Amino acid sequence: MTVIYANYEVCSTWDLDEVCENLDIKRSQIKEYYVKWDQLVLTYIDDDGEEVEEEIAPGFSASEEFNWKHPTTVVEE
């Protein structure tokens, strides 16, 4: 069997300063973050000292707005 792989290099992006502004927090309040299913999962400590977790959609989403017309590479194996 011959398999053809079309590889795409794509990125979703988040403006962390804008995220903080929208949440009305400072960057120093951020405890941790990770990305899962094209969502930024951000954990921060609010003004009351409580830990809060938010899921934030990207400003630019690779999964929705990427032009899939031309792959970065095409490999046949």
Side-chain angles (χ1 to χ4, degrees):
M1 173 171 76
T2 301
V3 179
I4 297 173
Y5 295 93
N7 298 301
Y8 299 86
E9 185 172 328
V10 298
C11 296
S12 292
T13 61
W14 294 262
D15 180 334
L16 193 53
D17 293 331
E18 183 178 303
V19 168
C20 288
E21 184 177 318
N22 290 341
L23 295 174
D24 196 28
I25 63 170
K26 297 178 180 138
R27 289 182 72 167
S28 60
Q29 291 175 264
I30 297 173
K31 182 177 177 184
E32 66 181 358
Y33 62 87
Y34 60 92
V35 175
K36 183 176 182 181
W37 299 108
D38 208 24
Q39 296 289 306
L40 175 66
V41 182
L42 182 86
T43 304
Y44 66 93
I45 306 300
D46 69 10
D47 293 333
D48 296 326
E50 299 293 319
E51 191 172 290
V52 179
E53 184 176 280
E54 296 279 345
E55 286 189 17
I56 301 148
F60 177 84
S61 174
S63 62
E64 294 177 12
E65 300 183 31
F66 182 72
N67 179 349
W68 297 97
K69 186 174 182 179
H70 301 289
T72 306
T73 61
V74 177
V75 179
E76 180 182 314
E77 290 185 7

Coordinates of all heavy atoms in Angstrom, one line a residue:
M1 N 0.8 -1.2 0.0 CA 0.0 0.0 0.0 C 0.9 1.2 0.0 O 1.9 1.3 0.7 CB -0.9 0.0 1.2 CG -1.7 1.3 1.4 SD -2.9 1.3 2.7 CE -2.0 1.4 4.1
T2 N 0.5 2.2 -0.8 CA 1.2 3.5 -0.8 C 0.3 4.5 -0.2 O -0.9 4.6 -0.5 CB 1.5 3.9 -2.3 OG1 2.3 2.9 -2.9 CG2 2.2 5.3 -2.3
V3 N 0.9 5.3 0.7 CA 0.2 6.3 1.5 C 0.7 7.7 1.1 O 2.0 7.8 1.1 CB 0.2 6.1 3.0 CG1 -0.5 7.2 3.7 CG2 -0.3 4.7 3.4
I4 N -0.1 8.6 0.8 CA 0.3 10.0 0.6 C -0.1 10.8 1.8 O -1.2 10.8 2.2 CB -0.3 10.6 -0.7 CG1 0.1 9.8 -1.9 CG2 0.0 12.0 -0.8 CD1 -0.6 10.1 -3.2
Y5 N 0.9 11.5 2.4 CA 0.7 12.4 3.5 C 0.8 13.8 3.1 O 1.8 14.2 2.5 CB 1.8 12.1 4.6 CG 1.7 10.8 5.2 CD1 2.5 9.7 4.7 CD2 0.9 10.5 6.3 CE1 2.5 8.5 5.2 CE2 0.9 9.2 6.8 CZ 1.7 8.2 6.3 OH 1.7 6.9 6.8
A6 N -0.3 14.6 3.3 CA -0.2 16.0 3.1 C -0.1 16.7 4.5 O -0.9 16.5 5.4 CB -1.5 16.5 2.5
N7 N 1.1 17.4 4.7 CA 1.4 18.0 6.0 C 1.1 19.5 5.9 O 1.6 20.2 4.9 CB 2.9 17.7 6.3 CG 3.1 16.3 6.5 OD1 2.5 15.6 7.3 ND2 4.0 15.8 5.6
Y8 N 0.5 20.0 6.9 CA 0.2 21.4 7.0 C 0.8 22.0 8.3 O 0.7 21.3 9.4 CB -1.3 21.7 7.0 CG -2.0 21.2 5.8 CD1 -2.4 19.9 5.7 CD2 -2.2 22.1 4.7 CE1 -3.1 19.5 4.5 CE2 -2.9 21.7 3.6 CZ -3.3 20.4 3.5 OH -4.0 20.0 2.4
E9 N 1.4 23.1 8.2 CA 1.9 23.8 9.4 C 1.0 25.0 9.7 O 0.9 25.9 8.9 CB 3.4 24.3 9.2 CG 3.9 24.9 10.5 CD 5.4 25.2 10.4 OE1 6.1 24.5 9.6 OE2 5.8 26.1 11.0
V10 N 0.3 24.9 10.8 CA -0.7 25.9 11.1 C -0.6 26.3 12.6 O -0.1 25.5 13.4 CB -2.2 25.4 10.8 CG1 -2.4 25.1 9.4 CG2 -2.5 24.2 11.7
C11 N -1.0 27.5 12.9 CA -1.0 28.0 14.2 C -2.3 28.7 14.6 O -2.8 29.5 13.8 CB 0.2 29.0 14.4 SG 1.8 28.3 14.1
S12 N -2.8 28.4 15.8 CA -3.8 29.3 16.4 C -3.1 30.2 17.3 O -2.0 29.9 17.8 CB -4.8 28.4 17.2 OG -5.5 27.6 16.3
T13 N -3.6 31.4 17.4 CA -3.0 32.5 18.2 C -3.9 33.1 19.2 O -5.1 33.2 19.0 CB -2.4 33.6 17.4 OG1 -3.4 34.2 16.6 CG2 -1.3 33.0 16.4
W14 N -3.3 33.5 20.3 CA -4.1 34.3 21.4 C -3.2 35.4 21.8 O -2.0 35.3 21.9 CB -4.3 33.4 22.6 CG -5.2 32.3 22.4 CD1 -6.5 32.2 22.8 CD2 -4.9 31.0 21.9 NE1 -7.0 31.0 22.4 CE2 -6.0 30.2 21.9 CE3 -3.7 30.4 21.4 CZ2 -6.1 28.9 21.4 CZ3 -3.8 29.1 20.9 CH2 -4.9 28.4 21.0
D15 N -3.8 36.6 21.9 CA -3.1 37.8 22.4 C -3.3 37.8 23.9 O -4.3 38.1 24.4 CB -3.7 39.0 21.8 CG -3.0 40.3 22.3 OD1 -2.4 40.3 23.4 OD2 -3.0 41.3 21.5
L16 N -2.2 37.4 24.7 CA -2.3 37.2 26.1 C -2.6 38.6 26.8 O -3.4 38.6 27.8 CB -1.0 36.6 26.7 CG -1.1 36.1 28.1 CD1 -2.3 35.2 28.3 CD2 0.2 35.5 28.5
D17 N -2.1 39.7 26.3 CA -2.5 41.0 26.9 C -4.0 41.2 26.7 O -4.6 41.7 27.7 CB -1.7 42.1 26.2 CG -0.2 42.0 26.6 OD1 0.2 41.5 27.7 OD2 0.6 42.4 25.7
E18 N -4.5 40.9 25.6 CA -6.0 41.1 25.3 C -6.8 40.2 26.2 O -7.8 40.6 26.7 CB -6.3 40.9 23.9 CG -7.7 41.1 23.5 CD -7.9 40.9 22.0 OE1 -7.2 41.6 21.2 OE2 -8.8 40.1 21.6
V19 N -6.3 38.9 26.3 CA -7.0 38.0 27.2 C -7.1 38.5 28.6 O -8.2 38.5 29.3 CB -6.3 36.6 27.2 CG1 -6.8 35.7 28.3 CG2 -6.5 35.9 25.8
C20 N -6.0 39.0 29.1 CA -5.9 39.5 30.5 C -6.9 40.7 30.6 O -7.6 40.9 31.6 CB -4.5 39.9 30.9 SG -3.4 38.5 31.2
E21 N -6.8 41.6 29.6 CA -7.7 42.8 29.7 C -9.2 42.4 29.7 O -10.0 42.9 30.5 CB -7.4 43.7 28.4 CG -8.2 45.0 28.4 CD -7.8 45.8 27.2 OE1 -6.6 45.9 26.9 OE2 -8.8 46.4 26.6
N22 N -9.6 41.4 28.9 CA -10.9 40.9 28.8 C -11.4 40.3 30.1 O -12.5 40.4 30.5 CB -11.2 40.0 27.7 CG -11.1 40.6 26.3 OD1 -11.2 41.8 26.2 ND2 -10.8 39.8 25.3
L23 N -10.4 39.6 30.8 CA -10.7 39.0 32.1 C -10.5 39.9 33.3 O -10.9 39.6 34.4 CB -9.8 37.7 32.3 CG -10.1 36.6 31.3 CD1 -9.0 35.5 31.6 CD2 -11.5 36.0 31.5
D24 N -10.0 41.1 33.0 CA -9.7 42.1 34.0 C -8.8 41.6 35.0 O -9.0 41.7 36.3 CB -11.0 42.6 34.7 CG -10.8 43.9 35.4 OD1 -9.9 44.7 35.1 OD2 -11.5 44.2 36.4
I25 N -7.7 41.0 34.5 CA -6.6 40.4 35.4 C -5.3 40.9 34.9 O -5.1 41.4 33.8 CB -6.6 38.9 35.5 CG1 -6.3 38.3 34.1 CG2 -7.9 38.4 36.0 CD1 -6.1 36.8 34.1
K26 N -4.3 40.8 35.8 CA -2.9 41.0 35.4 C -2.2 39.7 35.1 O -2.6 38.7 35.6 CB -2.2 41.7 36.6 CG -2.8 43.1 37.0 CD -2.1 43.6 38.1 CE -2.7 45.0 38.5 NZ -2.9 45.2 39.9
R27 N -1.2 39.8 34.3 CA -0.4 38.6 33.9 C 0.1 37.9 35.1 O 0.3 36.7 35.1 CB 0.7 38.9 32.9 CG 0.1 39.3 31.5 CD 1.1 39.6 30.5 NE 1.8 38.4 30.1 CZ 2.6 38.2 29.1 NH1 2.8 39.3 28.3 NH2 3.1 37.1 28.8
S28 N 0.5 38.6 36.1 CA 1.0 38.0 37.3 C 0.0 37.1 38.0 O 0.4 36.3 38.9 CB 1.5 39.1 38.3 OG 0.5 40.0 38.7
Q29 N -1.3 37.3 37.7 CA -2.3 36.4 38.4 C -2.5 35.1 37.7 O -3.1 34.2 38.2 CB -3.7 37.2 38.3 CG -3.8 38.4 39.2 CD -5.1 39.1 39.0 OE1 -5.1 40.1 38.3 NE2 -6.1 38.6 39.7
I30 N -1.9 34.9 36.5 CA -2.0 33.7 35.8 C -1.1 32.6 36.5 O 0.1 32.8 36.7 CB -1.5 33.8 34.3 CG1 -2.4 34.8 33.6 CG2 -1.5 32.5 33.6 CD1 -2.0 35.2 32.2
K31 N -1.8 31.5 36.8 CA -1.1 30.4 37.4 C -0.5 29.4 36.4 O 0.6 29.0 36.5 CB -2.1 29.7 38.4 CG -1.5 28.5 39.1 CD -2.5 27.9 40.1 CE -1.9 26.7 40.8 NZ -2.9 26.0 41.6
E32 N -1.3 29.1 35.4 CA -0.8 28.2 34.3 C -1.8 28.3 33.2 O -2.9 28.8 33.3 CB -0.8 26.8 34.8 CG -2.1 26.1 35.2 CD -2.0 24.7 35.7 OE1 -0.9 24.2 35.7 OE2 -3.0 24.1 36.0
Y33 N -1.3 27.8 32.0 CA -2.2 27.7 30.9 C -1.7 26.5 30.0 O -0.6 26.1 30.1 CB -2.3 29.0 30.1 CG -0.9 29.4 29.5 CD1 -0.5 29.0 28.3 CD2 -0.1 30.3 30.2 CE1 0.7 29.4 27.7 CE2 1.1 30.8 29.7 CZ 1.5 30.3 28.5 OH 2.7 30.7 27.9
Y34 N -2.6 26.0 29.2 CA -2.3 25.0 28.2 C -3.4 25.1 27.1 O -4.4 25.8 27.2 CB -2.3 23.6 28.8 CG -3.6 23.1 29.4 CD1 -4.5 22.4 28.7 CD2 -3.8 23.4 30.7 CE1 -5.7 22.0 29.3 CE2 -5.0 22.9 31.3 CZ -5.9 22.3 30.6 OH -7.1 21.8 31.2
V35 N -3.1 24.4 26.0 CA -4.1 24.5 24.8 C -4.6 23.1 24.6 O -3.8 22.1 24.6 CB -3.4 25.0 23.6 CG1 -4.4 24.9 22.4 CG2 -2.9 26.4 23.8
K36 N -5.9 22.9 24.5 CA -6.6 21.6 24.2 C -7.8 21.9 23.3 O -8.6 22.8 23.6 CB -7.0 21.0 25.5 CG -7.6 19.6 25.3 CD -7.9 19.0 26.7 CE -8.5 17.6 26.5 NZ -8.9 17.0 27.8
W37 N -7.9 21.1 22.3 CA -9.0 21.2 21.3 C -9.1 22.7 20.8 O -10.2 23.2 20.6 CB -10.3 20.8 21.9 CG -10.3 19.3 22.3 CD1 -10.2 18.9 23.6 CD2 -10.3 18.2 21.5 NE1 -10.2 17.5 23.6 CE2 -10.2 17.0 22.3 CE3 -10.3 18.0 20.1 CZ2 -10.2 15.8 21.8 CZ3 -10.2 16.7 19.6 CH2 -10.2 15.6 20.5
D38 N -8.0 23.3 20.5 CA -7.9 24.7 19.9 C -8.5 25.7 20.9 O -9.0 26.7 20.4 CB -8.6 24.7 18.6 CG -8.0 25.8 17.7 OD1 -6.8 26.2 17.9 OD2 -8.7 26.3 16.8
Q39 N -8.5 25.4 22.2 CA -8.9 26.4 23.2 C -7.8 26.6 24.2 O -7.1 25.7 24.6 CB -10.2 25.9 23.9 CG -11.4 25.7 23.1 CD -12.0 27.0 22.7 OE1 -12.3 27.9 23.5 NE2 -12.2 27.2 21.4
L40 N -7.6 27.9 24.5 CA -6.6 28.2 25.6 C -7.3 28.0 26.9 O -8.4 28.6 27.2 CB -6.2 29.7 25.5 CG -5.2 30.2 26.6 CD1 -3.9 29.5 26.5 CD2 -5.0 31.7 26.4
V41 N -6.8 27.1 27.7 CA -7.3 26.9 29.1 C -6.4 27.6 30.0 O -5.2 27.2 30.2 CB -7.4 25.3 29.4 CG1 -8.0 25.1 30.7 CG2 -8.2 24.6 28.3
L42 N -6.9 28.6 30.6 CA -6.1 29.5 31.5 C -6.6 29.4 32.9 O -7.8 29.5 33.2 CB -6.3 30.9 31.0 CG -5.5 32.0 31.7 CD1 -4.1 32.1 31.1 CD2 -6.2 33.4 31.5
T43 N -5.7 29.2 33.8 CA -6.0 29.2 35.3 C -5.4 30.4 35.9 O -4.2 30.6 35.7 CB -5.5 27.9 35.9 OG1 -6.0 26.8 35.3 CG2 -5.9 27.8 37.4
Y44 N -6.2 31.2 36.6 CA -5.6 32.3 37.3 C -6.2 32.5 38.7 O -7.2 31.8 39.0 CB -5.9 33.6 36.5 CG -7.3 34.0 36.3 CD1 -7.9 34.9 37.2 CD2 -8.1 33.5 35.3 CE1 -9.3 35.3 37.1 CE2 -9.4 33.9 35.1 CZ -10.0 34.7 36.0 OH -11.3 35.1 35.9
I45 N -5.6 33.3 39.5 CA -6.1 33.6 40.8 C -6.8 34.9 40.8 O -6.2 36.0 40.4 CB -4.9 33.6 41.8 CG1 -4.0 32.4 41.8 CG2 -5.4 33.9 43.3 CD1 -4.8 31.1 42.1
D46 N -8.1 34.9 41.2 CA -8.8 36.2 41.1 C -8.5 37.1 42.3 O -7.7 36.7 43.2 CB -10.3 35.9 40.9 CG -11.0 35.3 42.2 OD1 -10.3 35.2 43.3 OD2 -12.2 34.9 42.1
D47 N -9.2 38.2 42.4 CA -8.9 39.2 43.4 C -9.2 38.7 44.8 O -8.7 39.2 45.8 CB -9.6 40.5 43.1 CG -9.0 41.2 41.9 OD1 -7.8 41.0 41.6 OD2 -9.7 42.0 41.2
D48 N -10.1 37.7 44.9 CA -10.5 37.1 46.2 C -9.6 36.0 46.6 O -9.8 35.3 47.6 CB -12.0 36.6 46.1 CG -12.9 37.8 45.9 OD1 -12.7 38.9 46.4 OD2 -14.0 37.6 45.2
G49 N -8.6 35.7 45.7 CA -7.7 34.6 46.0 C -8.2 33.2 45.6 O -7.6 32.2 45.9
E50 N -9.3 33.2 44.8 CA -9.9 32.0 44.3 C -9.2 31.6 43.0 O -8.9 32.5 42.2 CB -11.4 32.1 44.1 CG -12.1 32.4 45.4 CD -12.1 31.2 46.4 OE1 -12.3 30.1 45.9 OE2 -12.0 31.5 47.6
E51 N -9.0 30.3 42.8 CA -8.5 29.8 41.5 C -9.7 29.7 40.5 O -10.7 29.1 40.8 CB -7.9 28.4 41.7 CG -7.1 28.0 40.6 CD -6.3 26.7 40.9 OE1 -5.3 26.8 41.7 OE2 -6.6 25.6 40.3
V52 N -9.5 30.3 39.3 CA -10.5 30.3 38.3 C -9.9 29.7 37.0 O -8.8 30.0 36.6 CB -11.0 31.7 38.0 CG1 -12.0 31.8 36.9 CG2 -11.5 32.4 39.3
E53 N -10.7 28.9 36.3 CA -10.3 28.3 35.0 C -11.2 28.8 33.9 O -12.4 28.7 34.1 CB -10.3 26.8 35.1 CG -9.7 26.1 33.8 CD -9.7 24.6 33.9 OE1 -8.7 24.1 34.5 OE2 -10.6 24.0 33.4
E54 N -10.6 29.3 32.9 CA -11.4 29.8 31.7 C -10.9 29.2 30.4 O -9.7 28.9 30.3 CB -11.1 31.3 31.6 CG -11.6 32.2 32.7 CD -13.1 32.5 32.6 OE1 -13.7 32.2 31.5 OE2 -13.7 32.9 33.6
E55 N -11.8 28.9 29.5 CA -11.5 28.4 28.2 C -11.7 29.6 27.2 O -12.8 30.2 27.2 CB -12.4 27.2 27.8 CG -12.0 25.9 28.5 CD -12.7 24.7 27.9 OE1 -13.3 24.8 26.8 OE2 -12.8 23.7 28.6
I56 N -10.7 29.8 26.4 CA -10.7 31.0 25.6 C -10.4 30.6 24.1 O -9.4 29.9 23.8 CB -9.6 32.0 26.0 CG1 -10.0 32.4 27.5 CG2 -9.6 33.2 25.1 CD1 -8.8 32.8 28.3
A57 N -11.3 31.0 23.3 CA -11.2 30.7 21.8 C -10.0 31.6 21.3 O -9.7 32.7 21.8 CB -12.5 31.1 21.1
P58 N -9.3 31.1 20.3 CA -8.2 31.8 19.7 C -8.7 33.0 18.9 O -9.8 33.1 18.4 CB -7.5 30.8 18.8 CG -8.6 29.8 18.4 CD -9.5 29.8 19.6
G59 N -7.8 34.0 18.8 CA -8.0 35.2 18.0 C -8.0 34.8 16.5 O -8.8 35.2 15.7
F60 N -7.0 33.9 16.2 CA -7.0 33.3 14.9 C -6.9 31.8 15.1 O -6.1 31.3 15.8 CB -5.7 33.7 14.1 CG -5.6 33.0 12.8 CD1 -6.2 33.5 11.7 CD2 -4.8 31.9 12.7 CE1 -6.1 32.9 10.5 CE2 -4.7 31.2 11.5 CZ -5.4 31.7 10.3
S61 N -7.9 31.1 14.5 CA -8.1 29.7 14.7 C -7.6 29.0 13.5 O -8.1 29.1 12.4 CB -9.5 29.3 15.0 OG -9.7 27.9 15.0
A62 N -6.5 28.2 13.6 CA -6.0 27.4 12.5 C -7.0 26.4 12.0 O -7.1 26.1 10.8 CB -4.7 26.6 13.0
S63 N -7.8 25.9 12.9 CA -8.8 24.8 12.5 C -10.0 25.4 11.7 O -10.6 24.7 10.9 CB -9.4 24.1 13.7 OG -10.0 25.0 14.6
E64 N -10.3 26.7 11.8 CA -11.4 27.3 11.1 C -11.0 28.2 10.0 O -11.7 28.3 9.0 CB -12.3 28.1 12.1 CG -12.9 27.2 13.1 CD -13.7 28.0 14.1 OE1 -14.0 29.2 13.9 OE2 -14.1 27.4 15.1
E65 N -9.9 28.9 10.1 CA -9.6 30.0 9.2 C -8.4 29.7 8.3 O -8.0 30.5 7.5 CB -9.4 31.3 9.9 CG -10.6 31.7 10.7 CD -10.5 33.0 11.4 OE1 -9.7 33.9 10.9 OE2 -11.1 33.2 12.4
F66 N -7.8 28.5 8.4 CA -6.6 28.2 7.6 C -7.0 27.8 6.2 O -8.0 27.2 6.0 CB -5.9 27.0 8.3 CG -4.6 26.7 7.6 CD1 -3.5 27.5 7.6 CD2 -4.5 25.5 6.8 CE1 -2.3 27.2 7.0 CE2 -3.3 25.2 6.2 CZ -2.3 26.0 6.3
N67 N -6.2 28.3 5.3 CA -6.4 27.9 3.9 C -5.8 26.6 3.6 O -4.5 26.4 3.6 CB -5.8 29.0 3.0 CG -5.9 28.7 1.5 OD1 -6.4 27.6 1.1 ND2 -5.6 29.7 0.7
W68 N -6.6 25.5 3.4 CA -6.1 24.2 3.2 C -5.7 23.9 1.8 O -5.5 22.7 1.4 CB -7.2 23.2 3.7 CG -7.4 23.3 5.2 CD1 -8.4 24.1 5.7 CD2 -6.7 22.8 6.3 NE1 -8.4 24.0 7.1 CE2 -7.3 23.2 7.4 CE3 -5.5 22.0 6.3 CZ2 -6.8 22.9 8.7 CZ3 -5.1 21.7 7.6 CH2 -5.7 22.1 8.7
K69 N -5.6 24.9 1.0 CA -5.4 24.7 -0.5 C -4.0 24.1 -0.8 O -3.9 23.2 -1.6 CB -5.5 26.0 -1.2 CG -5.4 25.9 -2.7 CD -5.7 27.2 -3.4 CE -5.7 27.1 -4.9 NZ -6.0 28.4 -5.5
H70 N -2.9 24.5 -0.1 CA -1.6 24.1 -0.4 C -0.9 23.5 0.9 O -0.6 24.3 1.8 CB -0.7 25.2 -1.0 CG -1.3 25.8 -2.2 ND1 -1.3 25.1 -3.4 CD2 -1.9 27.0 -2.5 CE1 -1.8 25.8 -4.3 NE2 -2.2 27.0 -3.8
P71 N -0.6 22.2 1.0 CA 0.1 21.7 2.1 C 1.5 22.2 2.1 O 2.1 22.5 1.1 CB 0.0 20.2 1.9 CG -0.3 20.0 0.5 CD -1.0 21.2 0.0
T72 N 2.1 22.2 3.3 CA 3.5 22.5 3.5 C 4.4 21.5 2.7 O 5.3 21.9 2.0 CB 3.9 22.6 5.0 OG1 3.0 23.5 5.6 CG2 5.3 23.1 5.1
T73 N 4.1 20.2 2.9 CA 4.8 19.2 2.2 C 3.8 18.0 1.8 O 2.8 17.9 2.5 CB 6.0 18.5 3.1 OG1 5.4 18.0 4.2 CG2 7.0 19.6 3.4
V74 N 4.2 17.3 0.8 CA 3.5 16.1 0.4 C 4.5 15.0 0.3 O 5.5 15.1 -0.4 CB 2.7 16.3 -0.9 CG1 2.0 15.0 -1.4 CG2 1.7 17.4 -0.9
V75 N 4.2 13.9 1.0 CA 5.2 12.8 1.1 C 4.4 11.5 0.7 O 3.3 11.3 1.2 CB 5.7 12.7 2.5 CG1 6.7 11.5 2.6 CG2 6.4 13.9 3.0
E76 N 5.1 10.7 -0.1 CA 4.5 9.4 -0.5 C 5.4 8.3 0.2 O 6.6 8.3 0.1 CB 4.6 9.2 -2.0 CG 4.0 7.9 -2.5 CD 4.2 7.8 -4.0 OE1 3.8 8.8 -4.7 OE2 4.6 6.8 -4.5
E77 N 4.7 7.4 0.8 CA 5.5 6.2 1.5 C 4.8 4.9 1.1 O 3.6 4.8 1.0 CB 5.5 6.4 3.0 CG 6.4 7.5 3.4 CD 6.4 7.6 5.0 OE1 5.9 6.7 5.7 OE2 7.0 8.6 5.4

